[in-house]
Amino acid sequence: MLKVPDITNDPRQKFTINLPEGNRLSLEMRFCPTQNAWYLDIDYNDGEWVLKGTQIVTAFNLLLPFENVLNFGIAILTDGNSEPYFVDDFLTGRCTMYILESKADFETIKKYRGF
């Protein structure tokens, strides 16, 4: 699992992550203060697969509905299992985002979930 580094309290942030096998993942996070929520746009391999506007919620794999299509996942873990709702939740460490990069990562998450 790869922890997404350097998430700040900036309400709009963009990251590019190099995945195994040379694939590239672009993430854009946006905080919406009127809804007290973070949203995420995902671009995999320069448009090969795109997801826009998904809410960031506590999840062992935010991309679970796409597990048969994608070879990666995104885990959002929080203290107390509450949702990310403050702009500084990732900066303070109350929330953490991980990229699930391998079958071992997925198996670890499944065991943690009790499946």
Side-chain angles (χ1 to χ4, degrees), residues 13-38:
Q13 303 178 53
K14 194 167 188 174
F15 305 95
T16 300
I17 297 166
N18 294 315
L19 298 173
E21 302 169 12
N23 298 317
R24 191 166 67 199
L25 180 63
S26 296
L27 306 173
E28 185 172 344
M29 297 173 57
R30 294 179 314 284
F31 184 76
C32 181
T34 58
Q35 296 183 18
N36 288 334
W38 281 96

Side-chain angles (χ1 to χ4, degrees), residues 2-63:
L2 170 69
K3 180 180 175 186
V4 177
D6 304 324
I7 301 177
T8 69
N9 61 348
D10 188 332
R12 190 172 205 103
Q13 303 178 53
K14 194 167 188 174
F15 305 95
T16 300
I17 297 166
N18 294 315
L19 298 173
E21 302 169 12
N23 298 317
R24 191 166 67 199
L25 180 63
S26 296
L27 306 173
E28 185 172 344
M29 297 173 57
R30 294 179 314 284
F31 184 76
C32 181
T34 58
Q35 296 183 18
N36 288 334
W38 281 96
Y39 292 88
L40 181 65
D41 294 344
I42 302 168
D43 184 329
Y44 175 69
N45 274 347
D46 299 318
E48 183 177 315
W49 187 87
V50 175
L51 179 65
K52 296 219 177 246
T54 194
Q55 186 173 352
I56 298 175
V57 296
T58 301
F60 291 110
N61 186 358
L62 193 62
L63 302 177

Side-chain angles (χ1 to χ4, degrees), residues 56-62 75-78 81-84 94-95:
I56 298 175
V57 296
T58 301
F60 291 110
N61 186 358
L62 193 62
I76 307 294
L77 305 180
T78 60
N81 289 327
S82 63
E83 304 302 335
R94 194 180 82 74
C95 301

